[in-house]
Amino acid sequence: MAKVLVVTSGKGGVGKTTSTAALGAALAQAGQKVAVIDFDVGLRNLDLVMGAERRVVFDLINVVQGVARLSQALIRDKRLETLWLLPASQTRDKDALTEAGIASIIREMRGKFDWIICDSPAGIERGATLAMRFADAAVIVTNPEVSSVRDSDRIIGLLDSKTEKAEKGERIDKHILITRFDPNRATRGEMLRIEDVLEILSTPLLGVIPESEEVLRASNIGSPVTLNNAASAPARAYFDAASRLRGEDIPVTIYSERKRFLEKLFGRAA
Amino acid sequence: MSILNLFRRRGTAPVARERLQILLSYERSTRGQSDLLGILREEILAALGKHIQVDQDNIVMRMDRGATLSTLEIEILIPHAGIMLAAS
């Protein structure tokens, strides 16, 4: 029986899609059967970040409307056998997403995967509320920056009131994933510290993803960062976060890119 | 600019540029128009439906959009029972 995870934030551009792809791939790399679903109707990008944009035939709304079967719309990753993508529709109206439709898709998928990861659109409109609606757990992607923390707080409120679990009086597991973290700036007092963010949001930490050139490099190529460069600092941080999602208790490490002597001298030649 | 920049391999940005060009040229050409792939799918299935009964689950469609050429691959599993039913 799958665990349904929503990756959300309220604010745009904080790294939801990057994190969905990286966590999904990291779980699949650990042998888990994973489906990632893009809920950003009209502005889909998970397909592009995962390098599947040329292979999209059907999408989420086709499945909701019964035009295609789930099995026809799921795209298997070319590199990882146990990773699948359900793309959002790029052309349809987002009102075509119905709660009943999503409920039935998630119900069907629960029996077939270990993890269903819902990539939420920014904002708090229909797509975002439907992405979180059936979640068992939430990853709230937060940058150490005032507007992002404020929006995360708003999203936490919605997770605690508008999800199916919350309405049934059950608890939804919430985790903060801090992305674009720069330890040097935090030490110099130029960036909110991790403890500050966690204290303000009073929610446990899933991981800290350092600001890194590797993230852009991976999205340029269309490969989750954990696949594109598994030894890089952000990839290691995502691997740790994925292990924590599976219940492992791992101390939080702030990874940094260790530059070799020659690279320091000459700049990175990659 | 470091010395090694002179010998630098191509970075990842050209890959990003090429991927975007392929994707956007396709998306721009389909914007505001009915979806060719959808039409082909409907018509091919309708043509098949005249002769045989095919379960949706037995149809696999794969797509690969390229810069100058795209492929649409349709795999249809036709159970013998389907042929008999449609013929009777």
Side-chain angles (χ1 to χ4, degrees):
Chain A
M1 198 69 173
K3 190 155 189 182
V4 180
L5 188 71
V6 60
V7 177
T8 184
S9 70
K11 193 174 185 308
V14 295
K16 283 182 296 297
T17 300
T18 301
S19 297
T20 301
L23 289 173
L27 287 165
Q29 283 165 286
Q32 301 275 291
K33 208 170 170 199
V34 183
V36 292
I37 310 179
D38 191 345
F39 274 81
D40 204 345
V41 174
L43 290 171
R44 75 168 173 227
N45 272 320
L46 188 56
D47 56 331
L48 193 54
V49 168
M50 294 184 62
E53 75 279 2
R54 289 155 54 143
R55 298 194 290 136
V56 174
V57 182
F58 298 107
D59 57 55
L60 182 59
I61 287 180
N62 292 144
V63 182
V64 167
Q65 295 181 330
V67 173
R69 296 287 170 89
L70 181 62
S71 58
Q72 293 176 314
L74 284 165
I75 303 170
R76 180 181 245 160
D77 189 87
K78 280 198 165 169
R79 302 144 297 206
L80 288 171
E81 280 229 318
T82 58
L83 180 60
W84 301 75
L85 163 71
L86 183 54
S89 173
Q90 186 70 329
T91 50
R92 312 287 164 123
D93 186 352
K94 62 176 180 297
D95 293 337
L97 276 190
T98 61
E99 183 172 332
I102 299 300
S104 112
I105 289 176
I106 300 262
R107 200 180 310 122
E108 185 180 349
M109 289 174 83
R110 271 188 195 269
K112 295 179 175 151
F113 294 94
D114 299 314
W115 293 90
I116 299 166
I117 308 182
C118 305
D119 183 20
S120 173
I124 51 173
E125 302 301 321
R126 189 184 191 82
T129 49
L130 280 178
M132 69 170 66
R133 182 71 190 149
F134 303 101
D136 303 308
V139 171
I140 302 135
V141 182
T142 308
N143 291 168
E145 179 270 328
V146 288
S147 59
S148 174
V149 175
R150 180 209 203 167
D151 290 358
S152 292
D153 190 62
R154 181 97 164 81
I155 283 292
I156 289 170
L158 292 179
L159 287 165
D160 285 334
S161 60
K162 301 282 186 203
T163 53
E164 197 184 48
K165 274 208 149 180
E167 283 178 4
K168 280 196 272 182
E170 294 170 31
R171 249 201 44 192
I172 174 163
D173 283 330
K174 300 182 294 291
H175 315 267
I176 301 290
L177 183 68
I178 296 181
T179 56
R180 311 202 71 163
F181 184 72
D182 182 336
N184 295 326
R185 300 195 72 185
T187 312
R188 288 200 300 268
E190 295 174 5
M191 182 180 262
L192 281 171
R193 294 177 312 148
I194 294 159
E195 307 87 87
D196 298 336
V197 175
L198 299 180
E199 191 196 317
I200 293 166
L201 296 175
S202 30
T203 303
L205 181 67
L206 181 70
V208 179
I209 313 300
E211 173 82 64
S212 165
E213 295 173 359
E214 286 300 328
V215 172
L216 179 60
R217 226 171 251 144
S219 85
N220 277 346
I221 289 174
S223 170
V225 70
T226 52
L227 265 176
N228 194 51
N229 185 352
S232 66
R236 286 154 76 196
Y238 277 119
F239 281 125
D240 283 3
S243 301
R244 285 186 204 105
L245 282 175
R246 297 180 64 195
E248 284 179 46
D249 189 11
I250 304 172
V252 175
T253 311
I254 313 292
Y255 293 103
S256 62
E257 239 60 86
R258 241 176 282 128
K259 288 199 169 184
R260 285 189 293 265
F261 175 70
L262 272 179
E263 284 180 350
K264 268 188 181 163
L265 200 61
F266 293 114
R268 206 186 149 91
Chain B
M1 177 119 171
S2 69
I3 304 164
L4 275 187
N5 276 352
L6 297 173
F7 307 102
R8 181 169 284 207
R9 278 179 292 141
R10 263 173 40 132
T12 54
V15 181
R17 187 184 132 92
E18 195 187 326
R19 291 176 62 222
L20 279 171
Q21 278 173 335
I22 293 171
L23 178 68
L24 295 185
S25 75
Y26 171 79
E27 287 192 343
R28 285 180 189 139
S29 70
T30 55
R31 200 169 295 166
Q33 287 179 24
S34 46
D35 154 39
L36 174 66
L37 194 68
I39 296 169
L40 283 176
R41 183 183 67 225
E42 294 305 317
E43 292 188 358
I44 290 170
L45 291 185
L48 277 168
K50 284 188 205 161
H51 306 284
I52 46 173
Q53 281 192 344
V54 183
D55 191 321
Q56 275 266 330
D57 283 335
N58 290 333
I59 305 169
V60 180
M61 293 192 170
R62 274 181 292 262
M63 180 82 191
D64 192 0
R65 284 187 276 274
T68 53
L69 192 77
S70 297
T71 59
L72 170 63
E73 199 182 314
I74 306 180
E75 184 185 303
I76 304 160
L77 298 179
I78 304 167
H80 295 306
I83 298 172
M84 314 255 280
L85 272 172
S88 63

PDB file of all heavy atoms in Angstrom, chain A residues 194-222:
ATOM      1  N   ILE A 194      18.781  27.448  10.251  1.00  0.00           N
ATOM      2  CA  ILE A 194      17.856  26.308  10.202  1.00  0.00           C
ATOM      3  C   ILE A 194      16.991  26.272  11.462  1.00  0.00           C
ATOM      4  O   ILE A 194      15.776  26.084  11.389  1.00  0.00           O
ATOM      5  CB  ILE A 194      18.650  24.995  10.045  1.00  0.00           C
ATOM      6  CG1 ILE A 194      19.335  24.982   8.688  1.00  0.00           C
ATOM      7  CG2 ILE A 194      17.731  23.779  10.164  1.00  0.00           C
ATOM      8  CD1 ILE A 194      20.504  24.047   8.612  1.00  0.00           C
ATOM      9  N   GLU A 195      17.651  26.480  12.627  1.00  0.00           N
ATOM     10  CA  GLU A 195      16.908  26.436  13.902  1.00  0.00           C
ATOM     11  C   GLU A 195      15.810  27.501  13.916  1.00  0.00           C
ATOM     12  O   GLU A 195      14.720  27.257  14.443  1.00  0.00           O
ATOM     13  CB  GLU A 195      17.838  26.675  15.107  1.00  0.00           C
ATOM     14  CG  GLU A 195      19.069  25.775  15.173  1.00  0.00           C
ATOM     15  CD  GLU A 195      20.234  26.349  14.375  1.00  0.00           C
ATOM     16  OE1 GLU A 195      20.996  27.149  14.941  1.00  0.00           O
ATOM     17  OE2 GLU A 195      20.387  26.011  13.172  1.00  0.00           O
ATOM     18  N   ASP A 196      16.118  28.679  13.346  1.00  0.00           N
ATOM     19  CA  ASP A 196      15.107  29.748  13.306  1.00  0.00           C
ATOM     20  C   ASP A 196      13.879  29.295  12.520  1.00  0.00           C
ATOM     21  O   ASP A 196      12.747  29.458  12.963  1.00  0.00           O
ATOM     22  CB  ASP A 196      15.675  31.010  12.630  1.00  0.00           C
ATOM     23  CG  ASP A 196      16.863  31.584  13.393  1.00  0.00           C
ATOM     24  OD1 ASP A 196      16.953  31.327  14.612  1.00  0.00           O
ATOM     25  OD2 ASP A 196      17.691  32.267  12.772  1.00  0.00           O
ATOM     26  N   VAL A 197      14.126  28.748  11.338  1.00  0.00           N
ATOM     27  CA  VAL A 197      13.022  28.326  10.470  1.00  0.00           C
ATOM     28  C   VAL A 197      12.174  27.266  11.167  1.00  0.00           C
ATOM     29  O   VAL A 197      10.940  27.339  11.184  1.00  0.00           O
ATOM     30  CB  VAL A 197      13.568  27.783   9.120  1.00  0.00           C
ATOM     31  CG1 VAL A 197      12.431  27.236   8.260  1.00  0.00           C
ATOM     32  CG2 VAL A 197      14.339  28.858   8.371  1.00  0.00           C
ATOM     33  N   LEU A 198      12.846  26.280  11.777  1.00  0.00           N
ATOM     34  CA  LEU A 198      12.116  25.183  12.418  1.00  0.00           C
ATOM     35  C   LEU A 198      11.328  25.677  13.625  1.00  0.00           C
ATOM     36  O   LEU A 198      10.211  25.232  13.883  1.00  0.00           O
ATOM     37  CB  LEU A 198      13.080  24.074  12.836  1.00  0.00           C
ATOM     38  CG  LEU A 198      13.854  23.426  11.689  1.00  0.00           C
ATOM     39  CD1 LEU A 198      14.770  22.333  12.218  1.00  0.00           C
ATOM     40  CD2 LEU A 198      12.905  22.852  10.636  1.00  0.00           C
ATOM     41  N   GLU A 199      11.928  26.619  14.349  1.00  0.00           N
ATOM     42  CA  GLU A 199      11.250  27.133  15.533  1.00  0.00           C
ATOM     43  C   GLU A 199      10.005  27.926  15.130  1.00  0.00           C
ATOM     44  O   GLU A 199       8.925  27.750  15.699  1.00  0.00           O
ATOM     45  CB  GLU A 199      12.219  28.024  16.320  1.00  0.00           C
ATOM     46  CG  GLU A 199      11.693  28.398  17.703  1.00  0.00           C
ATOM     47  CD  GLU A 199      12.468  29.571  18.300  1.00  0.00           C
ATOM     48  OE1 GLU A 199      13.716  29.575  18.181  1.00  0.00           O
ATOM     49  OE2 GLU A 199      11.814  30.477  18.836  1.00  0.00           O
ATOM     50  N   ILE A 200      10.159  28.765  14.097  1.00  0.00           N
ATOM     51  CA  ILE A 200       9.030  29.578  13.653  1.00  0.00           C
ATOM     52  C   ILE A 200       7.895  28.690  13.147  1.00  0.00           C
ATOM     53  O   ILE A 200       6.721  28.924  13.427  1.00  0.00           O
ATOM     54  CB  ILE A 200       9.478  30.567  12.546  1.00  0.00           C
ATOM     55  CG1 ILE A 200      10.442  31.601  13.138  1.00  0.00           C
ATOM     56  CG2 ILE A 200       8.284  31.260  11.901  1.00  0.00           C
ATOM     57  CD1 ILE A 200      11.198  32.411  12.109  1.00  0.00           C
ATOM     58  N   LEU A 201       8.243  27.641  12.403  1.00  0.00           N
ATOM     59  CA  LEU A 201       7.202  26.797  11.804  1.00  0.00           C
ATOM     60  C   LEU A 201       6.797  25.640  12.714  1.00  0.00           C
ATOM     61  O   LEU A 201       5.835  24.935  12.425  1.00  0.00           O
ATOM     62  CB  LEU A 201       7.687  26.257  10.454  1.00  0.00           C
ATOM     63  CG  LEU A 201       7.951  27.316   9.372  1.00  0.00           C
ATOM     64  CD1 LEU A 201       8.539  26.675   8.123  1.00  0.00           C
ATOM     65  CD2 LEU A 201       6.662  28.069   9.014  1.00  0.00           C
ATOM     66  N   SER A 202       7.499  25.469  13.803  1.00  0.00           N
ATOM     67  CA  SER A 202       7.339  24.333  14.731  1.00  0.00           C
ATOM     68  C   SER A 202       6.941  23.025  14.029  1.00  0.00           C
ATOM     69  O   SER A 202       5.930  22.407  14.337  1.00  0.00           O
ATOM     70  CB  SER A 202       6.397  24.637  15.902  1.00  0.00           C
ATOM     71  OG  SER A 202       5.414  25.565  15.567  1.00  0.00           O
ATOM     72  N   THR A 203       7.795  22.660  13.099  1.00  0.00           N
ATOM     73  CA  THR A 203       7.599  21.442  12.312  1.00  0.00           C
ATOM     74  C   THR A 203       8.974  20.777  12.168  1.00  0.00           C
ATOM     75  O   THR A 203       9.970  21.482  12.009  1.00  0.00           O
ATOM     76  CB  THR A 203       7.034  21.815  10.918  1.00  0.00           C
ATOM     77  OG1 THR A 203       5.819  22.546  11.096  1.00  0.00           O
ATOM     78  CG2 THR A 203       6.757  20.603  10.060  1.00  0.00           C
ATOM     79  N   PRO A 204       9.029  19.437  12.237  1.00  0.00           N
ATOM     80  CA  PRO A 204      10.337  18.773  12.167  1.00  0.00           C
ATOM     81  C   PRO A 204      11.012  18.883  10.797  1.00  0.00           C
ATOM     82  O   PRO A 204      10.352  19.093   9.773  1.00  0.00           O
ATOM     83  CB  PRO A 204      10.028  17.314  12.508  1.00  0.00           C
ATOM     84  CG  PRO A 204       8.569  17.155  12.289  1.00  0.00           C
ATOM     85  CD  PRO A 204       7.929  18.489  12.487  1.00  0.00           C
ATOM     86  N   LEU A 205      12.312  18.703  10.814  1.00  0.00           N
ATOM     87  CA  LEU A 205      13.138  18.865   9.620  1.00  0.00           C
ATOM     88  C   LEU A 205      13.299  17.544   8.876  1.00  0.00           C
ATOM     89  O   LEU A 205      13.580  16.511   9.481  1.00  0.00           O
ATOM     90  CB  LEU A 205      14.518  19.375  10.063  1.00  0.00           C
ATOM     91  CG  LEU A 205      15.555  19.640   8.969  1.00  0.00           C
ATOM     92  CD1 LEU A 205      15.117  20.814   8.093  1.00  0.00           C
ATOM     93  CD2 LEU A 205      16.921  19.936   9.589  1.00  0.00           C
ATOM     94  N   LEU A 206      13.137  17.584   7.550  1.00  0.00           N
ATOM     95  CA  LEU A 206      13.400  16.393   6.739  1.00  0.00           C
ATOM     96  C   LEU A 206      14.817  16.421   6.177  1.00  0.00           C
ATOM     97  O   LEU A 206      15.451  15.385   6.004  1.00  0.00           O
ATOM     98  CB  LEU A 206      12.399  16.306   5.582  1.00  0.00           C
ATOM     99  CG  LEU A 206      12.562  15.081   4.677  1.00  0.00           C
ATOM    100  CD1 LEU A 206      12.160  13.811   5.418  1.00  0.00           C
ATOM    101  CD2 LEU A 206      11.758  15.215   3.403  1.00  0.00           C
ATOM    102  N   GLY A 207      15.311  17.612   5.876  1.00  0.00           N
ATOM    103  CA  GLY A 207      16.647  17.688   5.313  1.00  0.00           C
ATOM    104  C   GLY A 207      17.006  19.115   4.953  1.00  0.00           C
ATOM    105  O   GLY A 207      16.147  19.998   4.932  1.00  0.00           O
ATOM    106  N   VAL A 208      18.278  19.309   4.674  1.00  0.00           N
ATOM    107  CA  VAL A 208      18.776  20.621   4.267  1.00  0.00           C
ATOM    108  C   VAL A 208      19.534  20.438   2.957  1.00  0.00           C
ATOM    109  O   VAL A 208      20.547  19.750   2.900  1.00  0.00           O
ATOM    110  CB  VAL A 208      19.721  21.224   5.330  1.00  0.00           C
ATOM    111  CG1 VAL A 208      20.238  22.580   4.868  1.00  0.00           C
ATOM    112  CG2 VAL A 208      19.018  21.339   6.672  1.00  0.00           C
ATOM    113  N   ILE A 209      18.989  21.042   1.902  1.00  0.00           N
ATOM    114  CA  ILE A 209      19.632  20.924   0.591  1.00  0.00           C
ATOM    115  C   ILE A 209      20.455  22.190   0.362  1.00  0.00           C
ATOM    116  O   ILE A 209      19.906  23.292   0.324  1.00  0.00           O
ATOM    117  CB  ILE A 209      18.579  20.794  -0.545  1.00  0.00           C
ATOM    118  CG1 ILE A 209      17.492  19.761  -0.189  1.00  0.00           C
ATOM    119  CG2 ILE A 209      19.254  20.460  -1.867  1.00  0.00           C
ATOM    120  CD1 ILE A 209      17.965  18.360   0.068  1.00  0.00           C
ATOM    121  N   PRO A 210      21.765  22.037   0.221  1.00  0.00           N
ATOM    122  CA  PRO A 210      22.597  23.237   0.043  1.00  0.00           C
ATOM    123  C   PRO A 210      22.394  23.858  -1.340  1.00  0.00           C
ATOM    124  O   PRO A 210      22.080  23.161  -2.306  1.00  0.00           O
ATOM    125  CB  PRO A 210      24.021  22.689   0.181  1.00  0.00           C
ATOM    126  CG  PRO A 210      23.922  21.259  -0.217  1.00  0.00           C
ATOM    127  CD  PRO A 210      22.556  20.798   0.183  1.00  0.00           C
ATOM    128  N   GLU A 211      22.551  25.148  -1.415  1.00  0.00           N
ATOM    129  CA  GLU A 211      22.583  25.848  -2.705  1.00  0.00           C
ATOM    130  C   GLU A 211      23.729  25.233  -3.506  1.00  0.00           C
ATOM    131  O   GLU A 211      24.827  25.066  -2.977  1.00  0.00           O
ATOM    132  CB  GLU A 211      22.857  27.334  -2.425  1.00  0.00           C
ATOM    133  CG  GLU A 211      23.098  28.192  -3.637  1.00  0.00           C
ATOM    134  CD  GLU A 211      21.778  28.618  -4.273  1.00  0.00           C
ATOM    135  OE1 GLU A 211      21.026  29.343  -3.629  1.00  0.00           O
ATOM    136  OE2 GLU A 211      21.536  28.217  -5.424  1.00  0.00           O
ATOM    137  N   SER A 212      23.468  24.860  -4.742  1.00  0.00           N
ATOM    138  CA  SER A 212      24.526  24.184  -5.496  1.00  0.00           C
ATOM    139  C   SER A 212      24.338  24.341  -6.988  1.00  0.00           C
ATOM    140  O   SER A 212      23.217  24.337  -7.496  1.00  0.00           O
ATOM    141  CB  SER A 212      24.525  22.691  -5.151  1.00  0.00           C
ATOM    142  OG  SER A 212      25.284  21.964  -6.096  1.00  0.00           O
ATOM    143  N   GLU A 213      25.448  24.445  -7.696  1.00  0.00           N
ATOM    144  CA  GLU A 213      25.410  24.516  -9.162  1.00  0.00           C
ATOM    145  C   GLU A 213      24.879  23.215  -9.766  1.00  0.00           C
ATOM    146  O   GLU A 213      24.395  23.204 -10.889  1.00  0.00           O
ATOM    147  CB  GLU A 213      26.820  24.746  -9.702  1.00  0.00           C
ATOM    148  CG  GLU A 213      27.416  26.078  -9.304  1.00  0.00           C
ATOM    149  CD  GLU A 213      28.890  26.189  -9.721  1.00  0.00           C
ATOM    150  OE1 GLU A 213      29.416  25.225 -10.291  1.00  0.00           O
ATOM    151  OE2 GLU A 213      29.481  27.248  -9.448  1.00  0.00           O
ATOM    152  N   GLU A 214      25.006  22.138  -9.009  1.00  0.00           N
ATOM    153  CA  GLU A 214      24.605  20.823  -9.524  1.00  0.00           C
ATOM    154  C   GLU A 214      23.120  20.755  -9.846  1.00  0.00           C
ATOM    155  O   GLU A 214      22.696  19.991 -10.700  1.00  0.00           O
ATOM    156  CB  GLU A 214      24.946  19.729  -8.515  1.00  0.00           C
ATOM    157  CG  GLU A 214      26.423  19.405  -8.444  1.00  0.00           C
ATOM    158  CD  GLU A 214      26.994  18.923  -9.780  1.00  0.00           C
ATOM    159  OE1 GLU A 214      26.262  18.282 -10.552  1.00  0.00           O
ATOM    160  OE2 GLU A 214      28.164  19.225 -10.042  1.00  0.00           O
ATOM    161  N   VAL A 215      22.305  21.544  -9.120  1.00  0.00           N
ATOM    162  CA  VAL A 215      20.859  21.493  -9.318  1.00  0.00           C
ATOM    163  C   VAL A 215      20.496  21.992 -10.721  1.00  0.00           C
ATOM    164  O   VAL A 215      19.722  21.371 -11.444  1.00  0.00           O
ATOM    165  CB  VAL A 215      20.133  22.296  -8.209  1.00  0.00           C
ATOM    166  CG1 VAL A 215      18.649  22.413  -8.506  1.00  0.00           C
ATOM    167  CG2 VAL A 215      20.362  21.643  -6.854  1.00  0.00           C
ATOM    168  N   LEU A 216      21.089  23.109 -11.132  1.00  0.00           N
ATOM    169  CA  LEU A 216      20.834  23.649 -12.468  1.00  0.00           C
ATOM    170  C   LEU A 216      21.407  22.723 -13.543  1.00  0.00           C
ATOM    171  O   LEU A 216      20.783  22.476 -14.575  1.00  0.00           O
ATOM    172  CB  LEU A 216      21.434  25.053 -12.596  1.00  0.00           C
ATOM    173  CG  LEU A 216      21.261  25.728 -13.961  1.00  0.00           C
ATOM    174  CD1 LEU A 216      19.786  25.883 -14.315  1.00  0.00           C
ATOM    175  CD2 LEU A 216      21.946  27.085 -13.985  1.00  0.00           C
ATOM    176  N   ARG A 217      22.593  22.187 -13.251  1.00  0.00           N
ATOM    177  CA  ARG A 217      23.224  21.279 -14.209  1.00  0.00           C
ATOM    178  C   ARG A 217      22.299  20.088 -14.491  1.00  0.00           C
ATOM    179  O   ARG A 217      22.127  19.672 -15.625  1.00  0.00           O
ATOM    180  CB  ARG A 217      24.538  20.771 -13.601  1.00  0.00           C
ATOM    181  CG  ARG A 217      25.688  20.827 -14.558  1.00  0.00           C
ATOM    182  CD  ARG A 217      26.995  20.521 -13.858  1.00  0.00           C
ATOM    183  NE  ARG A 217      27.801  21.718 -13.761  1.00  0.00           N
ATOM    184  CZ  ARG A 217      28.576  22.030 -12.747  1.00  0.00           C
ATOM    185  NH1 ARG A 217      28.647  21.239 -11.695  1.00  0.00           N
ATOM    186  NH2 ARG A 217      29.274  23.137 -12.764  1.00  0.00           N
ATOM    187  N   ALA A 218      21.708  19.558 -13.433  1.00  0.00           N
ATOM    188  CA  ALA A 218      20.827  18.390 -13.581  1.00  0.00           C
ATOM    189  C   ALA A 218      19.559  18.743 -14.346  1.00  0.00           C
ATOM    190  O   ALA A 218      19.124  17.998 -15.224  1.00  0.00           O
ATOM    191  CB  ALA A 218      20.487  17.819 -12.203  1.00  0.00           C
ATOM    192  N   SER A 219      18.975  19.911 -14.051  1.00  0.00           N
ATOM    193  CA  SER A 219      17.723  20.252 -14.737  1.00  0.00           C
ATOM    194  C   SER A 219      17.992  20.617 -16.196  1.00  0.00           C
ATOM    195  O   SER A 219      17.154  20.363 -17.064  1.00  0.00           O
ATOM    196  CB  SER A 219      16.952  21.343 -13.993  1.00  0.00           C
ATOM    197  OG  SER A 219      17.394  22.618 -14.346  1.00  0.00           O
ATOM    198  N   ASN A 220      19.157  21.165 -16.492  1.00  0.00           N
ATOM    199  CA  ASN A 220      19.534  21.420 -17.895  1.00  0.00           C
ATOM    200  C   ASN A 220      19.456  20.133 -18.707  1.00  0.00           C
ATOM    201  O   ASN A 220      18.967  20.116 -19.841  1.00  0.00           O
ATOM    202  CB  ASN A 220      20.981  21.933 -17.973  1.00  0.00           C
ATOM    203  CG  ASN A 220      21.091  23.428 -17.711  1.00  0.00           C
ATOM    204  OD1 ASN A 220      20.092  24.133 -17.729  1.00  0.00           O
ATOM    205  ND2 ASN A 220      22.294  23.898 -17.455  1.00  0.00           N
ATOM    206  N   ILE A 221      19.937  19.056 -18.108  1.00  0.00           N
ATOM    207  CA  ILE A 221      20.024  17.775 -18.802  1.00  0.00           C
ATOM    208  C   ILE A 221      18.702  17.011 -18.747  1.00  0.00           C
ATOM    209  O   ILE A 221      18.404  16.180 -19.600  1.00  0.00           O
ATOM    210  CB  ILE A 221      21.176  16.952 -18.189  1.00  0.00           C
ATOM    211  CG1 ILE A 221      22.502  17.580 -18.591  1.00  0.00           C
ATOM    212  CG2 ILE A 221      21.129  15.507 -18.609  1.00  0.00           C
ATOM    213  CD1 ILE A 221      23.689  16.953 -17.953  1.00  0.00           C
ATOM    214  N   GLY A 222      17.894  17.321 -17.744  1.00  0.00           N
ATOM    215  CA  GLY A 222      16.639  16.600 -17.591  1.00  0.00           C
ATOM    216  C   GLY A 222      16.829  15.328 -16.795  1.00  0.00           C
ATOM    217  O   GLY A 222      16.311  14.272 -17.138  1.00  0.00           O
TER     218      GLY A 222
END
